[in-house]
Amino acid sequence: PSPVAQTKTALSADFSGEIGAQQPLGFFDPLGLMENAEQAEFDRLRGVEIKHGRVSMLAVVGYLVTYAGVRFPGAEDVPPNRP
């Protein structure tokens, strides 16, 4: 019998050349989420990460502005959180 070539069903893309992969860590994936992922999944997860980062930054700005005493119209009666 002739030998059968082994094939993989999942594509293993090399993400070490993507933006953000830099020394000394290189491509950092401690949970192994990109182990058998394709480029489309990588792009989706990168977009989700950027979106969540932006929402987090807006939340911090909202907290700081509220702590500084700025209130929206109609919320002037909200007490400050200062001790």
Side-chain angles (χ1 to χ4, degrees), residues 50-68:
I50 291 171
K51 179 175 70 171
H52 285 103
R54 289 175 180 168
V55 169
S56 298
M57 288 187 280
L58 283 173
V60 169
V61 168
Y63 173 80
L64 294 173
V65 167
T66 303
Y67 188 81

Side-chain angles (χ1 to χ4, degrees), residues 10-80:
L11 295 175
S12 295
D14 180 27
F15 300 114
S16 62
E18 291 290 334
I19 296 174
Q22 52 191 338
Q23 295 302 325
L25 297 176
F27 178 66
F28 186 67
D29 184 23
L31 298 177
L33 296 174
M34 297 286 100
E35 196 168 299
N36 292 321
E38 296 179 5
Q39 185 68 37
E41 179 66 9
F42 177 82
D43 294 340
R44 186 190 74 80
L45 287 175
R46 176 169 277 185
V48 168
E49 181 180 10
I50 291 171
K51 179 175 70 171
H52 285 103
R54 289 175 180 168
V55 169
S56 298
M57 288 187 280
L58 283 173
V60 169
V61 168
Y63 173 80
L64 294 173
V65 167
T66 303
Y67 188 81
V70 178
R71 299 290 189 261
F72 288 115
E76 295 89 2
D77 57 344
V78 175

